[in-house]
Amino acid sequence: MGNESINWDTLGFDYIKTDKRYLAHWRNGEWEKGALTDDNQLHISEGSTALHYGQQCFEGLKAYRCKDGSINLFRPDQNALRMQRSCDRLLMPGVSIEQFIEACKEVVKANERFIPPYGTGGALYLRPFVIGVGDNIGVRTAPEFIFSVFCIPVGAYFKGGMKPHKFLISTYDRAAPQGTGAAKVGGNYAASLLPGKKAKEKGFADCIYLDPLTHTKIEEVGSANFFAITKDDKFVTPKSPSVLPGITRLSLIELAKSRLGLEVVEGDVYIDKLGDFKEAGACGTAAVITPIGGIEYQDKLNVFYSETEVGPVTQRLYNELTGIQKGDVEAPEGWIVKV
Ligand code: PLP
Ligand code: COI
């Protein structure tokens, strides 16, 4: 069955109910095998720790339709490993890499008609998650857990996609210095809702958070990592215990070195040194590469390459990354898993 109801060219990042999702329970000390289901509603105890104490984590990865009709998953092993680390941080049982990838593949196959065609720029976004469920009320780890993966066809996360966007430096923090910033857990995103709303009301795409200890260094966007290109052609990206270690960020670090021949610096990115950069961007699975045209800090807008045009280094990184994802550019060993 095709999918005549979807206009692939105008897809944004909105919930669409697709045909099947994967669901597995953890009971009696282990994950059960899991199966696909049509039902997109979860029936869980009112005492579930996921509802009260934020005991939950999630992932985001995409499946891409290639020119030859095959389907690519991009570095799903990295998402599986990160979900294991998030589970460890919140005392939840980790899902094996094998079960994670198998669940993703099953969901993609069962929803093949929702994969945006090659050339539309869209992809099938997969949302794996683990939640603490079961009857409970004290602040403790849950007696049972659910691992599920659903999927949605998506286009650009930030409206307009590959064009420069303006971001606002937030006066709020999304995570604590030794908190859960490096884990992909819902609490970080709950904390980002109000600052994000305020930034959007002022006309910005989103906000950028500073380090929660000193508020002098850029950390990340609420939904993506930050990178910049210095005037002497170095690829710079923040490194901090409260930043989410993004898989797009990791991939760009490797591509900047191996394909663009740039020196890479992972470290402190001081907010009063924005003038060192000729280009900047936000990077993530949903955001892909979203060029940053300007950053407002203390009522002053710092413009990078241009407020309207994409810088050449950002464009080359984008071409390399997205070319690999949709199978047009040779991928480094192990990056692509065929469905
Ligand atoms: N930082 C935050 C807070 C995110 O939500 C995301 C998105 O997943 C990223 C960074 C980028 O991570 P990735 O490239 O693995 O999608
Ligand atoms: C992703 O890029 O996968 C994200 O999780 C970002 C956002 C949708 C929360």
Side-chain angles (χ1 to χ4, degrees), residues 13 58-62 79 82 125-127 157 184 189 222-224 244 248 283-288:
F13 200 87
F58 68 98
E59 273 303 323
L61 68 160
K62 283 175 173 171
N79 293 92
R82 187 170 65 190
Y125 181 76
L126 298 173
R127 173 50 67 85
Y157 182 72
K184 204 162 169 60
Y189 297 84
S223 54
L244 187 79
T248 317
C283 63
T285 299
V288 193

Side-chain angles (χ1 to χ4, degrees), residues 171-187:
T171 51
Y172 292 92
D173 297 321
R174 68 179 276 283
Q178 302 300 326
T180 55
K184 204 162 169 60
V185 302

